[in-house]
């Protein structure tokens, strides 16, 4: 159908300027790989089909996403042409996106497609105006505002070099016009490479209408080629994520020192203090306080009104409502109930048993009071209302209402807490 929309995401290059054994498009960025940001932006924009063009070495790295393999890196034109078989029979519009542009928002593809369809263009180029036009191809428009040509910087006249609009390398084409033009591409360099830019030139030369849409925010469309650029975009994405949380009712005391990855769930009235890192797959409930200098890793859930304080690391753990872990503790592979207080310097030693066995889990119940410098040798179960003596290594289960610890070897006084203080009424 003519109104269908597909996307070809070019992610086959190695990115040698990153100086890394990891292909550029697979570098991690705020909880996702670089290319995943592009794919998810396309899907959120309403793209029905996304085809990632990958190299043979990375073709298995994309999970459920449809992949086309570019067997030999022969330029962007060849990359898009590699996706043609995957889109056999598709007759709508095809977005061409760069896999190294993770700042792309869903609004931008939608904004590109709208004038493309309104003007019934064969293709539409996404232009932008960077502070430094560098070696970007310059956009030359005709009197009607449509594209006359794209001039590479090395071939441009002084007047053309003065133009502010440059080519982002992002396009949308009518599928039939795209495949026809790709068949006509010829290499114009010693490397034998084919470029999508030449596809645009062929359409213009054939008298086809090619429109131009100007991106409002330049950094959202610039590609990443170095780790310097990666760090710049990471900071921009951090600010975008933090702003979304703050507008939804979260207090982030110092957004510039707080790194929250994509996929984190924060309820209203959560407070995040400075120098905190929260990885994807973390959920924090309303009224909770986190940080400063906290590190929350995937699989962690923090309950209503709980506190995760200074230099506390959590991983694959559940923290109950109103429970406090104020400072200097590592809690991994653990479940902690409600209204518990974890004293300073506590560790759940989840790998302390025989080699080769899976990590053990620690369960600490509700209304438990641990002591300073406690280590819990998983798997171990601490019952509700129990107390733990300072400096203790807990190797055995502690029944509810008991007092345990007393180095060097664990001693457990069953029911001691209930005998001294009575059993809570709850």
């Amino acid at each position: 159908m003519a109104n269908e929309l597909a996307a070809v995401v070019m992610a086959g290059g190695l990115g040698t300027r990153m100086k890394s054994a990891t292909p550029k498009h697979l570098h991690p960025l705020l909880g996702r790989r670089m290319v995943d940001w592009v794919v998810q932006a396309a899907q959120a924009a309403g793209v029905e089909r996304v085809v990632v063009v990958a190299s043979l070495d990375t073709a298995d790295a994309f999970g459920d996403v449809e992949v086309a393999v570019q067997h030999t890196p022969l330029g962007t034109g060849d990359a898009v042409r590699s996706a043609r078989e995957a889109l056999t029979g598709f007759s709508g519009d095809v977005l061409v996106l760069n896999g190294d542009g993770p700042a792309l928002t869903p609004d931008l593809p939608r904004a590109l497609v709208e004038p493309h369809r309104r003007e019934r263009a064969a293709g539409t180029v996404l232009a932008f105006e960077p502070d430094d036009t560098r070696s970007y191809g310059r956009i030359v428009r005709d009197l009607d505002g449509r594209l006359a040509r794209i001039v590479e910087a090395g071939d441009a006249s002084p007047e053309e070099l003065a133009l502010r609009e440059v080519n982002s390398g992002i396009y949308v084409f009518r599928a039939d016009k795209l495949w026809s033009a790709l068949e006509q591409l010829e290499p114009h360099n010693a490397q034998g490479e084919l470029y999508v830019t030449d596809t645009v030139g062929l359409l213009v030369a054939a008298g086809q209408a090619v429109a131009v849409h100007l991106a409002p925010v330049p950094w959202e469309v610039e590609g990443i080629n170095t780790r310097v650029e990666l760090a710049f975009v990471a900071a921009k994405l951090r600010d975008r994520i933090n702003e979304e949380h703050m507008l939804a009712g979260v207090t982030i005391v110092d957004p510039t020192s707080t790194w929250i990855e994509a996929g984190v769930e924060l309820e209203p009235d959560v407070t995040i203090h400075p120098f905190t890192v929260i990885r994807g797959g973390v959920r924090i409930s309303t009224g909770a306080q986190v940080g400063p200098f906290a590190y929350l890793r995937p699989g962690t859930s923090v309950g209503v009104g709980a506190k995760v304080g200074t230099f506390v690391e959590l991983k694959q753990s559940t923290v109950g409502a109103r429970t406090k872990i104020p400072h200097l503790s590592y809690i991994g592979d653990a479940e902690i109930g409600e209204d518990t207080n974890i004293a300073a310097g506590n560790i759940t030693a989840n790998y302390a048993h025989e080699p080769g066995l899976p990590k053990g889990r620690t369960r600490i119940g509700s209304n438990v009071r641990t002591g300073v410098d406690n280590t819990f040798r998983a798997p171990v179960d601490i019952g509700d209302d129990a107390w733990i003596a300072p400096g203790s290594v807990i190797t055995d289960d502690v029944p509810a209402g008991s007092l345990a610890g007393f180095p060097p070897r664990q001693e457990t006084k069953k029911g001691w807490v209930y005998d001294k203080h009575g059993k809570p009424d709850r």
Side-chain angles (χ1 to χ4, degrees):
M1 293 177 60
N3 287 330
E4 288 183 324
L5 186 61
V8 174
V9 179
M10 295 181 290
L14 295 176
T16 55
R17 280 181 283 176
M18 297 290 284
K19 301 188 186 305
S20 174
T22 301
K24 175 175 71 171
H25 304 92
L26 303 184
H27 271 260
L29 182 63
L30 272 296
R32 298 173 181 161
R33 300 171 307 179
M34 194 186 300
V35 67
D36 295 334
W37 284 93
V38 181
V39 170
Q40 293 194 29
Q43 292 171 335
V47 176
E48 290 91 357
R49 294 185 62 186
V50 177
V51 179
V52 174
V53 178
S55 67
L56 191 59
D57 293 337
T58 61
D60 295 331
F62 296 95
D64 296 333
V65 178
E66 193 170 0
V67 175
V69 175
Q70 184 183 21
H71 293 276
T72 304
L74 292 176
T76 56
D78 180 68
V80 177
R81 193 164 61 182
S82 299
R84 181 172 184 176
E85 184 177 350
L87 293 172
T88 297
F90 181 82
S91 59
D93 293 313
V94 179
L95 279 164
V96 176
L97 304 174
N98 297 314
D100 62 359
L104 186 75
T105 65
D107 289 339
L108 204 49
R110 286 194 287 259
L112 179 61
V113 170
E114 192 276 329
H116 170 77
R117 290 177 172 170
R118 184 184 67 243
E119 299 181 27
R120 299 181 180 179
T124 302
V125 178
L126 183 65
F128 69 110
E129 296 182 353
D131 293 334
D132 182 0
T133 53
R134 295 180 302 219
S135 59
Y136 289 109
R138 303 308 200 264
I139 299 292
V140 181
R141 297 184 186 239
D142 63 21
L143 294 177
D144 295 323
R146 291 183 171 177
L147 184 72
R149 60 188 180 277
I150 299 174
V151 182
E152 298 304 325
D155 300 324
S157 66
E159 293 78 11
E160 289 168 337
L161 284 174
L163 295 172
R164 301 301 307 163
E165 280 189 314
V166 301
N167 180 24
S168 70
I170 295 173
Y171 314 89
V172 61
F173 297 96
R174 282 172 44 191
D176 58 336
K177 301 298 184 181
L178 173 62
W179 307 134
S180 176
L182 286 172
E183 290 176 356
Q184 302 173 54
L185 287 183
E186 295 180 357
H188 298 290
N189 52 68
Q191 295 78 25
E193 294 185 340
L194 308 172
Y195 299 118
V196 178
T197 306
D198 294 336
T199 303
V200 174
L202 288 169
L203 291 174
V204 173
Q208 299 287 336
V210 178
V212 180
H213 177 72
L214 183 65
V217 183
W219 67 267
E220 292 184 348
V221 299
E222 290 197 78
I224 291 174
N225 292 300
T226 69
R227 295 183 195 247
V228 174
E229 294 167 351
L230 181 69
F232 173 82
V233 172
K236 292 289 190 180
L237 290 176
R238 174 205 61 200
D239 294 344
R240 182 188 290 173
I241 290 171
N242 287 349
E243 181 178 287
E244 289 174 356
H245 286 302
M246 289 187 288
L247 291 174
V250 175
T251 294
I252 301 178
V253 176
D254 181 14
T256 62
S257 67
T258 301
W259 291 81
I260 302 173
E261 291 186 346
V264 171
E265 296 181 48
L266 303 178
E267 293 185 352
D269 291 324
V270 165
T271 299
I272 309 297
H273 293 283
F275 301 103
T276 291
V277 176
I278 306 177
R279 303 286 305 277
V282 171
R283 187 178 189 280
I284 303 176
S285 298
T286 187
Q289 302 255 345
V290 178
F293 296 99
Y295 181 31
L296 276 60
R297 294 165 59 189
T300 292
S301 177
V302 179
V304 173
K307 179 178 181 180
V308 178
T310 310
F311 296 110
V312 172
E313 179 177 351
L314 303 180
K315 189 270 291 187
Q316 290 284 348
S317 295
T318 301
V319 178
R322 300 172 300 281
T323 284
K324 297 178 181 180
I325 313 174
H327 29 227
L328 303 166
S329 293
Y330 169 72
I331 305 297
D333 301 281
E335 300 170 24
I336 304 176
E338 300 178 351
D339 301 301
T340 284
N341 188 80
I342 303 296
N346 279 211
I347 295 172
T348 57
N350 48 6
Y351 236 166
H353 48 293
E354 293 82 358
L357 295 179
K359 292 182 179 181
R361 291 194 67 82
T362 297
R363 181 193 171 276
I364 299 174
S366 296
N367 197 39
V368 172
R369 300 291 180 266
T370 74
V372 173
D373 295 330
N374 286 165
T375 298
F376 299 89
R377 183 185 180 277
V380 68
D381 191 317
I382 313 301
D384 294 346
D385 308 313
W387 289 12
I388 309 297
S392 302
V393 177
I394 302 301
T395 58
D396 301 316
D397 291 348
V398 178
S402 298
L403 173 64
F406 312 106
R409 188 174 183 84
Q410 178 180 339
E411 176 185 348
T412 299
K413 299 180 179 181
K414 294 183 178 180
W416 184 91
V417 175
Y418 292 156
D419 292 341
K420 291 290 185 179
H421 301 281
K423 192 169 184 178
D425 183 16
R426 61 171 183 266

